[in-house]
Amino acid sequence: MTRFHRSISGLLLALVAGAALADASLLNSSYDVARDVYKDYNPLFQKYWKQKTGETLELKQSHGGSSKQVRAVADGLEADVVTMNQANDIEFLAEKGLVAKDWTKKFPNNASPYTSAMVFIVRKGNPKAIKDWSDVAAPGVQMIIPHPKNTGNGRNTYLSAWAWALKQPGGNDAKAQEFLGKLLKNAPLFAAGGRDATTTFMQRGLGDVLITFESEAEMIAKEFGKGNFEVVYPSLTLQTEFPVAVVEKVVDKKGTRKQAQAYLEYLWSKEGQENAAQNYLRPRDAELLKKYAAQFPPVKTFTVDEVFGNANKAFSTHFKDGGSFDQIYVQK
Amino acid sequence: MTTKTHRVLPGFGLALGYTLVYLSLLILLPLGGMILKASELGFGQIIDIALGERSLAAFRVTFGASLVAASINAFFGLIVAWILVRYPFPGKRFVDALVDLPFALPTAVAGITLATLYAGNGWLGRYIEPLGFKVAYTPLGIVVALTFITLPFVVRTLQPVIEDIETEVEEAAASLGASRWQTFVKVIFPAIFPALLTGFALAFARAVGEYGSVIFIAGNLPLISEITPLLIISKLEQYDVLGATALAVVMLALSFMLLLTVNVLQWWAANRHKNNEPLEAAAGRAAGGAQ
């Protein structure tokens, strides 16, 4: 055997041994920016599971755009669990029979272990004095958001503004649509995704206000320095949820139901919730929320279900082809 | 005894069979699948989707910007190819290698880099924006991205053809009294025209399908700077696979028609050249015009 052959077979042996060391493996298919959250969470769960059952669990992550990930799972990517940023993505899997129809009831809090809120990021000193949604829609203000039709982030901004307009004196759907028209006119572009919007605002210096997740604001602080921008909480904004579900078809086939269920349940444990908070996502645990109060100032939020009925309804009235978003543009 | 001719590579039958299977697996099968999927919709529905206001605007932007980008490259790519073949200069190999970079670069990286350069505070943007040229986040940005992406197609198609034109032909034309311009128009240009058309067609086809580099610099505003590939992705994000396929099929048909036109043109140009006199005669003719 040549040295080359020996090193190859050594490599193969190591691979086989590595796989044999784990008693089971789970694949978590998740949205793009959740990478860090689950990178920190997985070792916590592995330790907990080892202590509880003695089983060594291998945890794999797959990240991409939320809807893209869900399409992959629907097309046969063998993910045991899905952790997403839009309920209608998981709803799609439920329609396909991959996820239980009543998936929102399988875990507490609508099956969403943590939340975030849509906030405004403005330049240092807030030169355009942007306090609320009406200021963003004022003439001469430039707003940077990702594409509302193609990204969860952009959709959340749209729905936040719509709900705010509904709650104004004399507010109704027609007025809300008119308000959104004014608001969208202030967008000089639609970014390709959440991170692209952040770069456009911070690095390219374009726009007066960036609308994004509260958790993204902390990422920006880490990346660009705290002193370069301010976070503004509007008077009403969307509480964004991050729903999770077990992929029934896959766990039945792989025999990993027990592990998958525990993996998601543990997100609600003290450790899981603390991990979320450390990643700047609002934990559901009231005590922890108090502990991290400096990081999460109180903000008046609404959920999609409260204002729009449910995620699917919100999606089809506003973002489906011919929906309110398209109407705003075709009317112009 | 058989009169079978022997070729260097074995078996025409085997090779042809292999070619057909290979092309079918790689090209016909995916495209056929797409058309089959689209056929779940009626023809009328496909037309409805294609004639929607946003779709029409996107087709205009996509095909318009691609044509402009391919034309720009047909002109400037020709100059680049000419310089690279005809003139020795220090660092020539390096410049030659530069041409291929757009091939190798992930398109999203190209898009982000171009957006950084041309943004209002970018290296280039800060100088051209005060002059009134807004590039990033406008349809102009799309043209810039597509021009960048498609440059190698024109240059790489033209280089070998230009290499084949012997300088003696030019010298002959010159010695017979043709001006430089006449030599170019009557001798050189007819010889490279078919290759130029091929390069143009390749660049155009590549530009029409481009997604990654465009979405970061286009601005993606509905009716203004949305390209068709973005609409297709948008439909997929809505789980509207059929709608996305319909747009894709329409795009395919339009591209096919345009490529066919270019191919016919190219065939016509090549034929005309073949039926015409050889290069030496052309040189004489060019000179004749001068007398």
Side-chain angles (χ1 to χ4, degrees):
Chain A
M1 221 157 55
T2 64
R3 194 149 80 193
F4 175 71
H5 280 125
R6 243 183 321 215
S7 51
I8 287 289
S9 47
L11 193 69
L12 285 176
L13 212 70
L15 281 175
V16 171
L21 275 178
D23 298 312
S25 96
L26 289 183
L27 174 63
N28 177 6
S29 175
S30 188
Y31 59 99
D32 234 339
V33 292
R35 202 170 270 112
D36 296 331
V37 185
Y38 287 99
K39 206 170 73 199
D40 297 344
Y41 174 74
N42 285 346
L44 294 176
F45 180 70
Q46 265 163 337
K47 209 174 118 201
Y48 157 81
W49 191 247
K50 178 93 187 167
Q51 270 170 6
K52 195 177 170 215
T53 63
E55 221 176 48
T56 309
L57 208 54
E58 189 195 10
L59 295 172
K60 289 183 282 192
Q61 293 168 258
S62 161
H63 295 274
S66 194
S67 304
K68 201 178 91 215
Q69 289 295 91
V70 155
R71 267 200 315 278
V73 173
D75 287 342
L77 175 73
E78 290 206 325
D80 302 86
V81 295
V82 282
T83 53
M84 293 299 161
N85 62 12
Q86 294 179 81
N88 55 304
D89 285 332
I90 297 191
E91 202 56 50
F92 174 71
L93 289 180
E95 275 165 33
K96 293 245 159 189
L98 284 150
V99 160
K101 283 262 179 287
D102 58 344
W103 62 272
T104 49
K105 308 264 170 2
K106 299 267 178 185
F107 296 95
N109 310 109
N110 232 359
S112 167
Y114 45 81
T115 66
S116 192
M118 300 310 288
V119 300
F120 301 162
I121 313 263
V122 296
R123 306 220 175 263
K124 194 181 170 183
N126 198 355
K128 296 249 166 137
I130 293 161
K131 296 262 154 49
D132 210 346
W133 292 102
S134 49
D135 302 321
V136 181
V141 173
Q142 283 199 328
M143 158 184 85
I144 307 293
I145 58 168
H147 207 304
K149 267 192 92 151
N150 305 349
T151 67
N153 193 328
R155 284 174 195 164
N156 289 335
T157 301
Y158 187 100
L159 294 177
S160 296
W162 189 283
W164 177 87
L166 274 185
K167 293 281 153 73
Q168 297 315 299
N172 57 35
D173 276 335
K175 287 212 169 124
Q177 182 154 337
E178 196 191 313
F179 177 72
L180 258 297
K182 270 201 269 173
L183 189 80
L184 292 177
K185 223 178 255 169
N186 281 352
L189 64 106
F190 288 131
R195 281 287 149 89
D196 184 32
T198 301
T199 340
T200 306
F201 183 76
M202 296 303 296
Q203 226 156 28
R204 319 247 149 91
L206 210 73
D208 304 303
V209 53
L210 165 76
I211 306 176
T212 189
F213 293 110
E214 183 185 32
S215 50
E216 186 77 355
E218 289 305 326
M219 197 287 297
I220 296 173
K222 261 194 268 176
E223 197 76 12
F224 298 94
K226 263 212 154 63
N228 292 324
F229 65 93
E230 285 171 24
V231 179
V232 174
Y233 287 87
S235 65
L236 179 74
T237 195
L238 177 71
Q239 178 185 61
T240 58
E241 300 194 318
F242 299 85
V244 301
V246 170
V247 185
E248 309 279 331
K249 267 211 172 136
V250 174
V251 295
D252 283 346
K253 192 178 143 204
K254 283 171 65 180
T256 47
R257 175 177 291 277
K258 202 174 57 187
Q259 291 89 338
Q261 181 75 20
Y263 178 79
L264 294 183
E265 264 166 17
Y266 195 66
L267 286 167
W268 274 268
S269 71
K270 271 272 181 283
E271 289 80 5
Q273 292 283 291
E274 185 122 33
N275 175 55
Q278 279 162 4
N279 279 289
Y280 304 101
L281 293 156
R282 290 182 180 236
R284 293 289 193 175
D285 187 311
E287 260 174 57
L288 270 178
L289 201 56
K290 221 177 265 168
K291 184 179 159 191
Y292 286 89
Q295 199 173 306
F296 302 118
V299 49
K300 199 163 170 262
T301 58
F302 68 94
T303 65
V304 169
D305 291 10
E306 279 163 23
V307 178
F308 300 98
N310 61 50
N312 265 1
K313 260 192 212 152
F315 177 77
S316 54
T317 13
H318 295 287
F319 307 115
K320 263 230 152 81
D321 284 349
S324 67
F325 179 85
D326 284 0
Q327 284 164 25
I328 285 168
Y329 272 91
V330 173
Q331 269 167 16
K332 275 209 294 194
Chain B
M1 249 182 73
T2 58
T3 53
K4 210 167 144 187
T5 49
H6 290 274
R7 315 252 172 194
V8 180
L9 290 178
F12 167 73
L14 187 69
L16 180 69
Y18 172 77
T19 304
L20 288 180
V21 169
Y22 191 69
L23 286 182
S24 303
L25 273 178
L26 279 180
I27 297 174
L28 280 181
L29 203 65
L31 290 187
M34 197 172 89
I35 289 165
L36 204 70
K37 182 84 193 170
S39 68
E40 282 174 37
L41 289 167
F43 185 71
Q45 275 169 300
I46 295 181
I47 295 299
D48 276 351
I49 290 171
L51 292 184
E53 194 161 348
R54 268 181 94 201
S55 317
L56 275 185
F59 280 126
R60 262 199 302 275
V61 172
T62 306
F63 285 95
S66 300
L67 276 175
V68 173
S71 310
I72 291 175
N73 273 332
F75 182 74
F76 290 101
L78 172 61
I79 298 178
V80 172
W82 184 262
I83 299 293
L84 282 176
V85 172
R86 282 301 169 89
Y87 299 99
F89 56 91
K92 181 170 164 174
R93 276 176 173 271
F94 176 72
V95 174
D96 195 46
L98 272 185
V99 171
D100 278 334
L101 267 191
F103 269 151
L105 208 61
T107 52
V109 175
I112 291 170
T113 312
L114 289 173
T116 311
L117 273 180
Y118 287 98
N121 64 355
W123 283 3
L124 290 171
R126 76 177 67 167
Y127 300 113
I128 48 180
E129 218 154 89
L131 303 176
F133 293 105
K134 223 171 140 348
V135 177
Y137 315 120
T138 65
L140 193 56
I142 302 179
V143 172
V144 169
L146 294 181
T147 309
F148 172 82
I149 288 297
T150 56
L151 171 74
F153 291 93
V154 175
V155 177
R156 290 297 181 238
T157 320
L158 280 176
Q159 264 177 328
V161 181
I162 296 177
E163 265 163 24
D164 276 352
I165 303 175
E166 285 159 20
T167 39
E168 284 90 340
V169 182
E170 286 161 56
E171 284 161 10
S175 68
L176 289 169
S179 70
R180 287 177 181 207
W181 178 244
Q182 284 168 327
T183 311
F184 178 76
V185 171
K186 296 199 170 159
V187 181
I188 295 164
F189 193 71
I192 57 175
F193 186 59
L196 190 65
L197 272 179
T198 309
F200 175 86
L202 286 173
F204 172 76
R206 176 77 182 81
V208 164
E210 180 55 23
Y211 175 73
S213 63
V214 174
I215 50 156
F216 289 101
I217 196 173
N220 306 320
L221 287 178
L223 306 181
I224 299 170
S225 50
E226 262 182 345
I227 52 167
T228 313
L230 180 71
L231 281 197
I232 294 178
I233 301 281
S234 166
K235 289 209 185 284
L236 288 175
E237 296 284 319
Q238 303 166 42
Y239 306 115
D240 179 11
V241 179
L242 270 176
T245 327
L247 277 183
V249 166
V250 172
M251 244 181 126
L252 188 71
L254 284 174
S255 308
F256 188 73
M257 265 157 27
L258 277 159
L259 287 180
L260 197 71
T261 316
V262 174
N263 266 305
V264 168
L265 260 177
Q266 192 195 341
W267 174 83
W268 168 80
N271 250 15
R272 201 180 62 124
H273 180 66
K274 209 190 294 163
N275 295 340
N276 257 339
E277 61 258 297
L279 278 177
E280 286 76 8
R285 195 165 48 83
Q291 281 159 4

